[in-house]
Amino acid sequence: MLSLSTYPPSYPPLTSLPRFSYLRHPSSSSSSRIPSPPPPTTATATRVKITSSEMDSLPEHRIVLGCGAAGVDFLATVASFPKPDDKIRSTSLKVQGGGNAGNALTCAARLGLNPRLISKVADDIQGRGVLEELESDGVDTSFFVVSKEGNSPSTYIIVDNETKTRTCIHTPGYPPMIPDELSRSSLLSALDGARLVYLDGRLHETALVTAQETVCKNIPILIDAERKREGLDDLLPLASYAVCSSKFPLAWTEAPSISSALVSMLLRLPKIKFVIVTLGEDGCVMLERSTEEAPASEEKDVDSLLESLKQRKDDNIAIPTCYASPLTKIRADGIGTVNGRLFVGTAEKIPPPELVDTTGAGDAFIGAVLYAICANMPPEKMLPFASQVAAAGCRALGARTGLPHRTDPRLAAFLH
């Protein structure tokens, strides 16, 4: 029998995790329950202590509400990806919490925010492990729905040591979450005091109800547009910020280039303040809308503008940096023009021996962006900060193992 632990051992078996106590949600059916909020000592048991001077540097408004995926990741590293019908051995095995929203909010919590998460798991070994791990990092799980039956979400991840890539096989949770399982009073409680709401595109029906209530309260929304998903077209018009994978803007807009796709997104989504596209080791590109009128000058072609920013990059600099255009009218041929600024962010050049696993790098980036928005960081600081946090996570196996705490010396220049 395979033990649900790390090989070599470094992670507690999920079977050893304590059971949680539950309170029945007043508006839920008998098949769904919500866990009682853990005592304060439980949520902070393994968190790094923050000194009074560090508290002074934290954002004033630190509550972030997320709605999306939380589950279990089974990570196996292999020397190289198997061929069909092969039998191979893993070089290590780790079991830990996963899911886009779970990962991003864990990152945000370690940076100093106070995240809350709306999600759903089953009352099984994996579900109880998910809740305990999130709570131990300081993520408020009191708005979770816990199903009496079914299964919690899980993902099998094969990490290829040869190519430094990972392959994910996801099993959704069952039964899926429906909006009726979250009462309006609970949603209002979750939104109380929130500076920002984050949606990862999963649980789309519940996410839409959350987004609509969020808009009524004038709380900004950040959406993770990883890929085209059911319900995402209903969420995007409500968003203030979007962070996209490299493939999403082209697939969603059918524009000929990533830079022109960013112009198209800003024109199609008038509430959006900025869109970021993450590009892995190639860094990221961001287009920010400006409410100010651009100086009277000729329009800049977005593709040419992007190339001019890329040419300014210094390949001898290993740490993340940012290059920005001035405020100008940015044109995409056949699409339109926006007033704004274009940014190119570089990624950290991680030495090959230090690069372990890119699982969750995008989630770490988003967690750092959530912090940056709460801290009112300018883009020139936000993009290198988010890239630095994502790079730290790539130095360990799994999406959460390497996520830095705000006390990490690599983050000092950004946080203090």
Side-chain angles (χ1 to χ4, degrees):
M1 178 180 290
L2 181 66
S3 173
L4 300 185
S5 60
T6 302
Y7 173 78
S10 66
Y11 188 79
L14 285 176
T15 51
S16 69
L17 296 176
R19 293 183 63 87
F20 285 76
S21 60
Y22 296 97
L23 295 176
R24 186 177 304 279
H25 193 288
S27 65
S28 298
S29 67
S30 60
S31 64
S32 297
R33 294 173 290 174
I34 287 185
S36 58
T41 53
T42 302
T44 58
T46 62
R47 299 185 76 185
V48 173
K49 291 183 179 179
I50 298 176
T51 65
S52 58
S53 61
E54 288 171 332
M55 285 293 293
D56 291 340
S57 65
L58 284 168
E60 181 180 358
H61 303 290
R62 301 192 295 276
I63 297 175
V64 174
L65 174 65
C67 177
V72 176
D73 286 350
F74 298 86
L75 297 119
T77 60
V78 296
S80 61
F81 195 83
K83 297 177 181 178
D85 211 30
D86 266 0
K87 291 183 178 181
I88 63 172
R89 291 192 177 189
S90 64
T91 57
S92 65
L93 175 67
K94 180 180 281 291
V95 182
Q96 69 175 188
N100 295 35
N103 295 337
L105 293 186
T106 295
C107 177
R110 292 189 186 183
L111 294 174
L113 298 186
N114 298 331
R116 303 164 178 167
L117 179 54
I118 296 170
S119 192
K120 183 175 182 177
V121 292
D123 184 12
D124 53 15
I125 292 173
Q126 289 84 359
R128 292 188 289 274
V130 166
L131 294 172
E132 178 167 282
E133 188 175 347
L134 288 169
E135 289 162 0
S136 71
D137 264 308
V139 179
D140 184 347
T141 65
S142 60
F143 301 99
F144 263 68
V145 172
V146 180
S147 174
K148 186 184 301 183
E149 299 176 346
N151 62 274
S152 297
S154 61
T155 303
Y156 290 88
I157 303 173
I158 302 173
V159 181
D160 186 339
N161 283 336
E162 183 178 38
T163 62
K164 303 296 184 182
T165 58
R166 85 283 187 273
T167 301
C168 302
I169 306 169
H170 181 65
T171 300
Y174 185 84
M177 187 171 185
I178 57 175
D180 288 347
E181 292 175 305
L182 180 70
S183 70
R184 186 168 186 270
S185 61
S186 290
L187 177 54
L188 292 177
S189 178
L191 286 168
D192 185 40
R195 165 69 174 82
L196 185 63
V197 169
Y198 157 60
L199 309 173
D200 71 0
R202 309 292 182 95
L203 312 179
H204 64 277
E205 293 177 331
T206 303
L208 181 58
V209 172
T210 301
Q212 290 168 339
E213 195 67 56
T214 301
V215 170
C216 290
K217 291 187 167 295
N218 294 315
I219 300 171
I221 297 172
L222 184 147
I223 288 185
D224 175 7
E226 183 181 30
R227 61 174 61 92
K228 295 176 73 173
R229 300 186 190 277
E230 184 179 4
L232 188 58
D233 284 353
D234 296 323
L235 294 173
L236 281 170
L238 305 177
S240 301
Y241 315 99
V243 179
C244 311
S245 68
S246 59
K247 296 179 180 178
F248 178 82
L250 296 175
W252 194 70
T253 66
E254 299 183 349
S257 65
I258 287 178
S259 50
S260 60
L262 293 181
V263 174
S264 179
M265 289 185 71
L266 260 62
L267 290 173
R268 292 171 61 177
L269 303 170
K271 283 177 60 70
I272 285 277
K273 297 179 180 178
F274 68 64
V275 179
I276 301 173
V277 180
T278 57
L279 303 170
E281 64 181 6
D282 293 324
C284 60
V285 177
M286 169 178 162
L287 182 58
E288 178 187 46
R289 187 195 309 275
S290 176
T291 55
E292 299 177 24
E293 188 66 26
S297 61
E298 64 179 80
E299 298 174 351
K300 300 287 187 181
D301 175 73
V302 68
D303 292 327
S304 300
L305 187 58
L306 178 59
E307 284 305 311
S308 69
L309 292 177
K310 288 181 177 179
Q311 289 174 10
R312 290 168 54 188
K313 292 195 295 185
D314 185 344
D315 291 334
N316 295 317
I317 300 177
I319 62 173
T321 54
C322 180
Y323 303 90
S325 77
L327 173 61
T328 188
K329 294 179 180 178
I330 302 175
R331 182 190 73 254
D333 288 339
I335 295 174
T337 302
V338 295
N339 285 335
R341 300 174 71 201
L342 190 66
F343 300 84
V344 169
T346 65
E348 181 184 355
K349 292 181 171 60
I350 304 175
E354 296 181 23
L355 179 60
V356 177
D357 179 20
T358 60
T359 301
D363 302 331
F365 186 96
I366 288 176
V369 170
L370 294 174
Y371 180 92
I373 293 172
C374 291
N376 299 313
M377 283 188 189
E380 293 89 343
K381 185 177 181 180
M382 175 179 69
L383 297 182
F385 170 64
S387 293
Q388 184 73 71
V389 170
C394 294
R395 287 177 160 89
L397 179 62
R400 301 184 188 175
T401 310
L403 290 177
H405 291 81
R406 67 178 290 105
T407 52
D408 192 308
R410 293 169 293 186
L411 306 182
F414 300 101
L415 300 180
H416 307 300

